[in-house]
Amino acid sequence: MQKVRKVTSNDCQRMTVKSAITKLPPRLCGTAVLVASLSWLFAAHLHAQETHEKIDVDDVSREFVVHLPQGYDKQQHYPVVVLLHAQNQDADDMGRLTHFSQFAETKGIIAVYPNALRGRWNIGVRPEEAPMAMRPRRGYGRPGGYPGGGGGYPGGGGGYPGGGGGGRQGGAENPDESRNKTEPADDVNFLNQMLDQLALKFSVDTRRIYATGLGDGGFMALRVGCNMADRVAAVAAVGAAFPKTMICLPSRPISALFVAGTDDPIVPDNGGTYKPGRFHVLSAEDSAKTWAKFDRCGEKPAQDKIPPVDKDKDKGSKDTKTFTYSACQDNAQVVLYSIKNGGNTWPGGEQYMSDKEVGKTSYALNANESIWAFLVTKKIAGESGVRK
């Protein structure tokens, strides 16, 4: 029989629940430790699980984080939301600033946070050449970015377009390094292989896989819609508009949601130059209109307003304008939420950089609730979503 060591009062002091235990009589200490330990194990069992995954893509190790919902059951099949981080951020930053993992736990969603290489997604759009006098000498914004995070947006550790790193890598590139740049990552291939591994390791409903993102991640979500409509049911882009030069040929009509702030200093609401990426974008309204053409929707959107959801937290918040394209082919839908005074931020999330740099985080809308309300009704018909 295994020998059981007697629990002492010192053991009680070391427990995380010591404030409760040390008030008990010594004779009850062992019982308290046992109860506390069992309670902790029970709580850990019920709590959501998070795993860090790796796959090799084109001889490069790629990483993503999988957050499983509370009470995850392998016998069930769960919807998946892929959350694509902003430029020079990482998966952890995306989780912190959106609070989506906590939301996903209560909704029975598998939340997946992929990491881009060097903090940037390959969104399939080439930078437009600028005159030498117009080219920035150093990266945008300031270093540090999101408190406690690995980079920041838009400046991050190395800046953009000249910066060499996001996440926890820093340092600006020199001209010699620029000449020897590696080819951009094949992020569509990465995300496809990521979904393959998800389907093998976790209980996934392959007809209910969705992609959303902020900033550069929002642009990447649009590219996912253009290139992966065979296995992604719908996409949502926050703080991103449709690039004028993006080639988009979805294999089927795919629903898309655009969430745009009218005071976004990074992605102009009325269209113009997306300075970090050095390319032109359509206005928010024209972005939705363009996607509606892909889905062969009705020509004119229905317009409405949503009252602020959290007036206590943002007393100056205004109604959010909505533009909804319906009568689309295969029941697709295209929606734009135009947030008055909003910036290049996640509505209802964290203000991860200053208002001057990225604009204001609005609480007129809760992005998690609004995005999921849009996505949850979309599903790929038939036995789709699995790559053959």
Side-chain angles (χ1 to χ4, degrees):
M1 180 180 293
Q2 186 179 6
K3 187 177 180 180
V4 180
R5 183 176 65 87
K6 183 180 179 180
V7 179
T8 68
S9 59
N10 288 333
D11 293 319
C12 287
Q13 293 289 342
R14 285 194 290 267
M15 295 297 291
T16 57
V17 290
K18 63 181 180 181
S19 60
I21 294 175
T22 52
K23 295 178 181 179
L24 294 174
R27 62 187 176 82
L28 295 179
C29 179
T31 303
V33 171
L34 177 62
V35 171
S37 299
L38 291 174
S39 299
W40 181 85
L41 290 172
F42 182 69
H45 177 72
L46 290 179
H47 195 268
Q49 307 168 54
E50 191 168 274
T51 65
H52 292 253
E53 305 288 330
K54 289 185 178 182
I55 51 175
D56 289 331
V57 181
D58 299 327
D59 298 323
V60 177
S61 180
R62 302 296 301 267
E63 301 177 352
F64 58 98
V65 178
V66 179
H67 192 95
L68 302 177
Q70 291 179 355
Y72 173 75
D73 181 358
K74 292 181 180 180
Q75 302 304 313
Q76 299 184 29
H77 290 85
Y78 295 87
V80 172
V81 176
V82 178
L83 293 104
L84 302 158
H85 63 75
Q87 180 187 289
N88 289 332
Q89 292 188 349
D90 60 19
D92 291 339
D93 293 327
M94 190 64 176
R96 280 192 293 267
L97 72 89
T98 63
H99 305 298
F100 194 85
S101 293
Q102 297 93 314
F103 174 81
E105 287 176 13
T106 63
K107 299 293 183 180
I109 303 167
I110 296 177
V112 182
Y113 302 89
N115 270 323
L117 283 183
R118 296 174 294 277
R120 314 179 197 174
W121 296 107
N122 178 6
I123 65 173
V125 177
R126 287 182 176 273
E128 299 167 14
E129 288 299 324
M132 289 298 294
M134 297 293 290
R135 293 179 186 173
R137 293 183 181 179
R138 57 184 178 178
Y140 260 72
R142 60 170 173 79
Y146 190 90
Y153 181 88
Y160 189 100
R168 292 172 178 83
Q169 303 174 15
E173 285 180 335
N174 61 41
D176 291 333
E177 289 173 337
S178 297
R179 294 191 196 103
N180 298 321
K181 265 187 177 180
T182 56
E183 287 296 313
D186 186 347
D187 283 326
V188 170
N189 187 24
F190 163 46
L191 294 177
N192 268 312
Q193 290 195 41
M194 180 189 77
L195 294 183
D196 290 342
Q197 183 161 310
L198 278 172
L200 289 173
K201 294 189 68 173
F202 303 99
S203 189
V204 170
D205 185 343
T206 57
R207 296 181 300 167
R208 294 191 294 159
I209 296 175
Y210 313 98
T212 185
L214 170 65
D216 258 27
F219 286 113
M220 190 64 207
L222 295 178
R223 190 181 186 197
V224 167
C226 294
N227 291 269
M228 297 173 61
D230 59 325
R231 62 192 318 191
V232 174
V235 298
V238 182
F242 194 81
K244 285 187 176 181
T245 57
M246 178 176 273
I247 298 172
C248 190
L249 300 169
S251 59
R252 65 173 182 85
I254 179 169
S255 298
L257 170 66
F258 293 84
V259 181
T262 61
D263 290 351
D264 187 332
I266 308 296
V267 179
D269 185 56
N270 292 322
T273 302
Y274 172 58
K275 292 180 182 178
R278 304 203 315 274
F279 56 78
H280 284 80
V281 295
L282 302 177
S283 68
E285 290 188 32
D286 284 344
S287 295
K289 184 177 181 180
T290 297
W291 203 278
K293 289 180 179 178
F294 298 153
D295 291 347
R296 299 180 184 177
C297 306
E299 289 189 7
K300 291 186 177 181
Q303 298 187 37
D304 205 348
K305 292 182 180 181
I306 301 174
V309 297
D310 196 343
K311 288 184 177 180
D312 293 334
K313 203 164 187 178
D314 188 358
K315 294 181 180 179
S317 59
K318 308 293 183 183
D319 290 351
T320 297
K321 290 184 179 180
T322 66
F323 301 80
T324 303
Y325 289 88
S326 54
C328 309
Q329 190 174 19
D330 294 348
N331 295 317
Q333 188 181 42
V334 180
V335 177
L336 164 64
Y337 287 159
S338 180
I339 303 173
K340 186 70 173 176
N341 302 327
N344 197 268
T345 50
W346 193 268
E350 296 292 331
Q351 182 71 39
Y352 58 95
M353 288 184 73
S354 71
D355 293 9
K356 183 178 180 181
E357 291 166 299
V358 297
K360 180 183 177 182
T361 297
S362 174
Y363 294 93
L365 193 75
N366 183 300
N368 294 340
E369 293 281 0
S370 299
I371 289 172
W372 182 240
F374 175 82
L375 298 177
V376 71
T377 60
K378 314 300 186 290
K379 183 186 293 188
I380 294 178
E383 296 182 5
S384 299
V386 178
R387 211 161 46 150
K388 298 177 182 179

